[in-house]
Amino acid sequence: MRAILDHCSGATQRSLPAGTDFIEEGGKTGHLFVLLEGKVEVVKGDSLVAVIDEPGAVFGEMSVLLDRPHSAKVRTASDCVLYEFDDAASFLREQPAVALLIAQLLAQRLHVATTYLADLMHQYADHGTHLAMVGEVLQSMINLPPMQVAPGSDRQSDPRM
């Protein structure tokens, strides 16, 4: 994701000390963050999901693209320098190359998740446990109805909710 760094001119550069929450789970900011230096933690509920230290890593993209609250908390695990885009939706409309890079990142994450779920389904299909329902989860992911997405727009609520 280092390629995103080439597109960060015009962003606000922020230096944050270790232990700073810069995205709150359930909050909605419309901001996009790109890691320049340091290490961050992604926390969902009480679970540490990931520790990320790769320059160019992006945070807040799912909230912006889906126009939904942030799905996890993100905090600095060390002193960090981040680029911050206050109006991420406008930035992504003006920078289609960045939008494509983020789409590729999200596609990669989805590939890993579905591969993992398919492996679980294969391992536990005949066990009769709650893990046997992984096939239903995969099928529901595949059959999600199309969703109108207007990045960053809060004018219309999601009719499915």
Side-chain angles (χ1 to χ4, degrees), residues 5 7 16 44 48 50 80 82 95 100-102 104 111-112 116 127 133 137 144 160:
L5 294 173
H7 302 278
L16 300 175
K44 183 145 181 82
L48 179 65
C80 288
L82 299 137
Q95 295 287 334
L100 178 60
L101 288 168
I102 290 173
Q104 290 170 330
H111 173 72
V112 169
Y116 176 71
H127 285 76
M133 68 183 282
V137 172
L144 281 175
R160 299 178 296 173

PDB file of all heavy atoms in Angstrom, residues 5 7 16 44 48 50 80 82 95 100-102 104 111-112 116 127 133 137 144 160:
ATOM      1  N   LEU A   5       0.937   6.520  -0.686  1.00  0.00           N
ATOM      2  CA  LEU A   5       1.706   7.663  -0.179  1.00  0.00           C
ATOM      3  C   LEU A   5       2.000   8.686  -1.271  1.00  0.00           C
ATOM      4  O   LEU A   5       2.110   9.883  -0.988  1.00  0.00           O
ATOM      5  CB  LEU A   5       3.000   7.186   0.476  1.00  0.00           C
ATOM      6  CG  LEU A   5       2.825   6.358   1.752  1.00  0.00           C
ATOM      7  CD1 LEU A   5       4.167   5.793   2.204  1.00  0.00           C
ATOM      8  CD2 LEU A   5       2.175   7.172   2.846  1.00  0.00           C
ATOM      9  N   HIS A   7       0.022   9.798  -3.320  1.00  0.00           N
ATOM     10  CA  HIS A   7      -1.182  10.583  -3.571  1.00  0.00           C
ATOM     11  C   HIS A   7      -1.631  11.398  -2.356  1.00  0.00           C
ATOM     12  O   HIS A   7      -2.759  11.885  -2.336  1.00  0.00           O
ATOM     13  CB  HIS A   7      -2.321   9.650  -3.996  1.00  0.00           C
ATOM     14  CG  HIS A   7      -2.010   8.851  -5.212  1.00  0.00           C
ATOM     15  ND1 HIS A   7      -2.153   9.347  -6.492  1.00  0.00           N
ATOM     16  CD2 HIS A   7      -1.518   7.591  -5.346  1.00  0.00           C
ATOM     17  CE1 HIS A   7      -1.788   8.422  -7.355  1.00  0.00           C
ATOM     18  NE2 HIS A   7      -1.403   7.352  -6.686  1.00  0.00           N
ATOM     19  N   LEU A  16       0.866  11.837  16.323  1.00  0.00           N
ATOM     20  CA  LEU A  16       0.083  11.407  17.477  1.00  0.00           C
ATOM     21  C   LEU A  16       0.944  10.570  18.414  1.00  0.00           C
ATOM     22  O   LEU A  16       1.676   9.689  17.959  1.00  0.00           O
ATOM     23  CB  LEU A  16      -1.125  10.577  17.030  1.00  0.00           C
ATOM     24  CG  LEU A  16      -2.134  11.261  16.110  1.00  0.00           C
ATOM     25  CD1 LEU A  16      -3.195  10.257  15.654  1.00  0.00           C
ATOM     26  CD2 LEU A  16      -2.786  12.431  16.821  1.00  0.00           C
ATOM     27  N   LYS A  44     -11.620  -4.415  17.736  1.00  0.00           N
ATOM     28  CA  LYS A  44     -13.065  -4.565  17.544  1.00  0.00           C
ATOM     29  C   LYS A  44     -13.640  -5.126  18.825  1.00  0.00           C
ATOM     30  O   LYS A  44     -13.274  -6.226  19.239  1.00  0.00           O
ATOM     31  CB  LYS A  44     -13.359  -5.480  16.365  1.00  0.00           C
ATOM     32  CG  LYS A  44     -14.830  -5.619  16.085  1.00  0.00           C
ATOM     33  CD  LYS A  44     -15.087  -5.755  14.612  1.00  0.00           C
ATOM     34  CE  LYS A  44     -16.547  -5.881  14.297  1.00  0.00           C
ATOM     35  NZ  LYS A  44     -17.240  -4.622  14.257  1.00  0.00           N
ATOM     36  N   LEU A  48      -8.213  -7.403  20.041  1.00  0.00           N
ATOM     37  CA  LEU A  48      -7.194  -6.822  19.178  1.00  0.00           C
ATOM     38  C   LEU A  48      -7.212  -7.607  17.871  1.00  0.00           C
ATOM     39  O   LEU A  48      -6.967  -8.812  17.856  1.00  0.00           O
ATOM     40  CB  LEU A  48      -5.818  -6.911  19.843  1.00  0.00           C
ATOM     41  CG  LEU A  48      -4.640  -6.371  19.037  1.00  0.00           C
ATOM     42  CD1 LEU A  48      -4.779  -4.866  18.816  1.00  0.00           C
ATOM     43  CD2 LEU A  48      -3.333  -6.682  19.754  1.00  0.00           C
ATOM     44  N   ALA A  50      -5.665  -6.458  14.768  1.00  0.00           N
ATOM     45  CA  ALA A  50      -4.444  -6.345  13.970  1.00  0.00           C
ATOM     46  C   ALA A  50      -3.527  -5.288  14.559  1.00  0.00           C
ATOM     47  O   ALA A  50      -3.974  -4.346  15.211  1.00  0.00           O
ATOM     48  CB  ALA A  50      -4.785  -5.972  12.532  1.00  0.00           C
ATOM     49  N   CYS A  80       3.142   8.055  16.214  1.00  0.00           N
ATOM     50  CA  CYS A  80       2.811   7.870  14.793  1.00  0.00           C
ATOM     51  C   CYS A  80       2.728   9.199  14.069  1.00  0.00           C
ATOM     52  O   CYS A  80       2.420  10.231  14.668  1.00  0.00           O
ATOM     53  CB  CYS A  80       1.453   7.182  14.645  1.00  0.00           C
ATOM     54  SG  CYS A  80       1.459   5.440  15.089  1.00  0.00           S
ATOM     55  N   LEU A  82       0.584  10.375  10.682  1.00  0.00           N
ATOM     56  CA  LEU A  82      -0.475   9.957   9.764  1.00  0.00           C
ATOM     57  C   LEU A  82      -0.844  11.117   8.859  1.00  0.00           C
ATOM     58  O   LEU A  82      -0.744  12.278   9.253  1.00  0.00           O
ATOM     59  CB  LEU A  82      -1.739   9.563  10.543  1.00  0.00           C
ATOM     60  CG  LEU A  82      -1.615   8.421  11.521  1.00  0.00           C
ATOM     61  CD1 LEU A  82      -2.333   8.742  12.802  1.00  0.00           C
ATOM     62  CD2 LEU A  82      -2.195   7.171  10.912  1.00  0.00           C
ATOM     63  N   GLN A  95      -9.408  11.438  -6.745  1.00  0.00           N
ATOM     64  CA  GLN A  95      -8.222  10.595  -6.914  1.00  0.00           C
ATOM     65  C   GLN A  95      -8.643   9.153  -7.222  1.00  0.00           C
ATOM     66  O   GLN A  95      -8.527   8.264  -6.366  1.00  0.00           O
ATOM     67  CB  GLN A  95      -7.369  10.626  -5.640  1.00  0.00           C
ATOM     68  CG  GLN A  95      -6.776  11.958  -5.313  1.00  0.00           C
ATOM     69  CD  GLN A  95      -5.632  12.299  -6.252  1.00  0.00           C
ATOM     70  OE1 GLN A  95      -4.981  11.415  -6.807  1.00  0.00           O
ATOM     71  NE2 GLN A  95      -5.398  13.575  -6.437  1.00  0.00           N
ATOM     72  N   LEU A 100      -8.948   3.044  -6.583  1.00  0.00           N
ATOM     73  CA  LEU A 100      -8.629   1.723  -7.136  1.00  0.00           C
ATOM     74  C   LEU A 100      -7.687   0.955  -6.208  1.00  0.00           C
ATOM     75  O   LEU A 100      -7.879  -0.239  -5.973  1.00  0.00           O
ATOM     76  CB  LEU A 100      -8.014   1.851  -8.526  1.00  0.00           C
ATOM     77  CG  LEU A 100      -7.601   0.529  -9.191  1.00  0.00           C
ATOM     78  CD1 LEU A 100      -8.801  -0.390  -9.358  1.00  0.00           C
ATOM     79  CD2 LEU A 100      -6.936   0.796 -10.525  1.00  0.00           C
ATOM     80  N   LEU A 101      -6.689   1.632  -5.653  1.00  0.00           N
ATOM     81  CA  LEU A 101      -5.778   0.968  -4.719  1.00  0.00           C
ATOM     82  C   LEU A 101      -6.538   0.444  -3.500  1.00  0.00           C
ATOM     83  O   LEU A 101      -6.297  -0.673  -3.028  1.00  0.00           O
ATOM     84  CB  LEU A 101      -4.664   1.915  -4.282  1.00  0.00           C
ATOM     85  CG  LEU A 101      -3.601   2.237  -5.328  1.00  0.00           C
ATOM     86  CD1 LEU A 101      -2.738   3.414  -4.870  1.00  0.00           C
ATOM     87  CD2 LEU A 101      -2.749   1.014  -5.625  1.00  0.00           C
ATOM     88  N   ILE A 102      -7.468   1.233  -3.008  1.00  0.00           N
ATOM     89  CA  ILE A 102      -8.267   0.802  -1.854  1.00  0.00           C
ATOM     90  C   ILE A 102      -9.185  -0.350  -2.245  1.00  0.00           C
ATOM     91  O   ILE A 102      -9.357  -1.305  -1.482  1.00  0.00           O
ATOM     92  CB  ILE A 102      -9.043   1.991  -1.253  1.00  0.00           C
ATOM     93  CG1 ILE A 102      -8.057   2.944  -0.573  1.00  0.00           C
ATOM     94  CG2 ILE A 102     -10.099   1.517  -0.264  1.00  0.00           C
ATOM     95  CD1 ILE A 102      -8.666   4.248  -0.087  1.00  0.00           C
ATOM     96  N   GLN A 104      -8.534  -2.604  -4.460  1.00  0.00           N
ATOM     97  CA  GLN A 104      -7.668  -3.782  -4.524  1.00  0.00           C
ATOM     98  C   GLN A 104      -7.360  -4.311  -3.129  1.00  0.00           C
ATOM     99  O   GLN A 104      -7.363  -5.528  -2.908  1.00  0.00           O
ATOM    100  CB  GLN A 104      -6.380  -3.445  -5.271  1.00  0.00           C
ATOM    101  CG  GLN A 104      -6.600  -3.218  -6.749  1.00  0.00           C
ATOM    102  CD  GLN A 104      -5.387  -2.649  -7.455  1.00  0.00           C
ATOM    103  OE1 GLN A 104      -4.578  -1.931  -6.879  1.00  0.00           O
ATOM    104  NE2 GLN A 104      -5.260  -2.966  -8.739  1.00  0.00           N
ATOM    105  N   HIS A 111     -10.858 -11.815  -0.298  1.00  0.00           N
ATOM    106  CA  HIS A 111     -10.330 -13.096  -0.774  1.00  0.00           C
ATOM    107  C   HIS A 111      -9.792 -13.932   0.395  1.00  0.00           C
ATOM    108  O   HIS A 111     -10.090 -15.122   0.500  1.00  0.00           O
ATOM    109  CB  HIS A 111      -9.231 -12.859  -1.816  1.00  0.00           C
ATOM    110  CG  HIS A 111      -8.528 -14.101  -2.230  1.00  0.00           C
ATOM    111  ND1 HIS A 111      -9.108 -15.060  -3.021  1.00  0.00           N
ATOM    112  CD2 HIS A 111      -7.284 -14.559  -1.936  1.00  0.00           C
ATOM    113  CE1 HIS A 111      -8.266 -16.058  -3.199  1.00  0.00           C
ATOM    114  NE2 HIS A 111      -7.153 -15.769  -2.554  1.00  0.00           N
ATOM    115  N   VAL A 112      -9.032 -13.301   1.265  1.00  0.00           N
ATOM    116  CA  VAL A 112      -8.478 -14.013   2.417  1.00  0.00           C
ATOM    117  C   VAL A 112      -9.613 -14.512   3.322  1.00  0.00           C
ATOM    118  O   VAL A 112      -9.610 -15.664   3.767  1.00  0.00           O
ATOM    119  CB  VAL A 112      -7.494 -13.113   3.198  1.00  0.00           C
ATOM    120  CG1 VAL A 112      -7.125 -13.722   4.540  1.00  0.00           C
ATOM    121  CG2 VAL A 112      -6.239 -12.857   2.368  1.00  0.00           C
ATOM    122  N   TYR A 116     -10.589 -18.438   4.007  1.00  0.00           N
ATOM    123  CA  TYR A 116     -10.588 -18.957   5.380  1.00  0.00           C
ATOM    124  C   TYR A 116     -11.937 -19.598   5.712  1.00  0.00           C
ATOM    125  O   TYR A 116     -12.004 -20.705   6.251  1.00  0.00           O
ATOM    126  CB  TYR A 116     -10.261 -17.834   6.359  1.00  0.00           C
ATOM    127  CG  TYR A 116     -10.330 -18.251   7.803  1.00  0.00           C
ATOM    128  CD1 TYR A 116      -9.372 -19.101   8.349  1.00  0.00           C
ATOM    129  CD2 TYR A 116     -11.358 -17.805   8.622  1.00  0.00           C
ATOM    130  CE1 TYR A 116      -9.433 -19.491   9.682  1.00  0.00           C
ATOM    131  CE2 TYR A 116     -11.423 -18.187   9.951  1.00  0.00           C
ATOM    132  CZ  TYR A 116     -10.470 -19.031  10.475  1.00  0.00           C
ATOM    133  OH  TYR A 116     -10.538 -19.415  11.781  1.00  0.00           O
ATOM    134  N   HIS A 127     -19.723 -31.893  11.189  1.00  0.00           N
ATOM    135  CA  HIS A 127     -19.561 -31.984  12.640  1.00  0.00           C
ATOM    136  C   HIS A 127     -20.821 -31.627  13.424  1.00  0.00           C
ATOM    137  O   HIS A 127     -20.899 -31.903  14.609  1.00  0.00           O
ATOM    138  CB  HIS A 127     -18.404 -31.090  13.101  1.00  0.00           C
ATOM    139  CG  HIS A 127     -17.067 -31.671  12.783  1.00  0.00           C
ATOM    140  ND1 HIS A 127     -16.540 -31.665  11.513  1.00  0.00           N
ATOM    141  CD2 HIS A 127     -16.149 -32.279  13.570  1.00  0.00           C
ATOM    142  CE1 HIS A 127     -15.355 -32.248  11.524  1.00  0.00           C
ATOM    143  NE2 HIS A 127     -15.090 -32.625  12.752  1.00  0.00           N
ATOM    144  N   MET A 133     -22.297 -24.173  10.066  1.00  0.00           N
ATOM    145  CA  MET A 133     -23.109 -23.181   9.360  1.00  0.00           C
ATOM    146  C   MET A 133     -22.276 -22.192   8.542  1.00  0.00           C
ATOM    147  O   MET A 133     -22.810 -21.263   7.949  1.00  0.00           O
ATOM    148  CB  MET A 133     -24.008 -22.421  10.335  1.00  0.00           C
ATOM    149  CG  MET A 133     -23.259 -21.516  11.293  1.00  0.00           C
ATOM    150  SD  MET A 133     -24.333 -20.706  12.476  1.00  0.00           S
ATOM    151  CE  MET A 133     -25.028 -19.432  11.486  1.00  0.00           C
ATOM    152  N   VAL A 137     -23.087 -18.851   5.886  1.00  0.00           N
ATOM    153  CA  VAL A 137     -22.488 -17.519   5.959  1.00  0.00           C
ATOM    154  C   VAL A 137     -21.888 -17.152   4.597  1.00  0.00           C
ATOM    155  O   VAL A 137     -22.110 -16.046   4.087  1.00  0.00           O
ATOM    156  CB  VAL A 137     -21.414 -17.453   7.065  1.00  0.00           C
ATOM    157  CG1 VAL A 137     -20.658 -16.135   7.017  1.00  0.00           C
ATOM    158  CG2 VAL A 137     -22.039 -17.663   8.430  1.00  0.00           C
ATOM    159  N   LEU A 144     -25.637 -11.096  -1.118  1.00  0.00           N
ATOM    160  CA  LEU A 144     -26.018  -9.784  -0.603  1.00  0.00           C
ATOM    161  C   LEU A 144     -26.594  -8.948  -1.738  1.00  0.00           C
ATOM    162  O   LEU A 144     -26.028  -8.914  -2.836  1.00  0.00           O
ATOM    163  CB  LEU A 144     -24.801  -9.063  -0.016  1.00  0.00           C
ATOM    164  CG  LEU A 144     -24.355  -9.488   1.370  1.00  0.00           C
ATOM    165  CD1 LEU A 144     -23.060  -8.774   1.747  1.00  0.00           C
ATOM    166  CD2 LEU A 144     -25.422  -9.219   2.399  1.00  0.00           C
ATOM    167  N   ARG A 160     -32.321  -0.630   4.271  1.00  0.00           N
ATOM    168  CA  ARG A 160     -32.318  -1.996   4.807  1.00  0.00           C
ATOM    169  C   ARG A 160     -32.231  -2.008   6.316  1.00  0.00           C
ATOM    170  O   ARG A 160     -32.336  -3.040   6.944  1.00  0.00           O
ATOM    171  CB  ARG A 160     -31.157  -2.779   4.218  1.00  0.00           C
ATOM    172  CG  ARG A 160     -31.244  -2.909   2.705  1.00  0.00           C
ATOM    173  CD  ARG A 160     -30.074  -3.641   2.140  1.00  0.00           C
ATOM    174  NE  ARG A 160     -28.863  -2.872   2.381  1.00  0.00           N
ATOM    175  CZ  ARG A 160     -27.633  -3.307   2.125  1.00  0.00           C
ATOM    176  NH1 ARG A 160     -27.466  -4.500   1.621  1.00  0.00           N
ATOM    177  NH2 ARG A 160     -26.603  -2.552   2.346  1.00  0.00           N
TER     178      ARG A 160
END
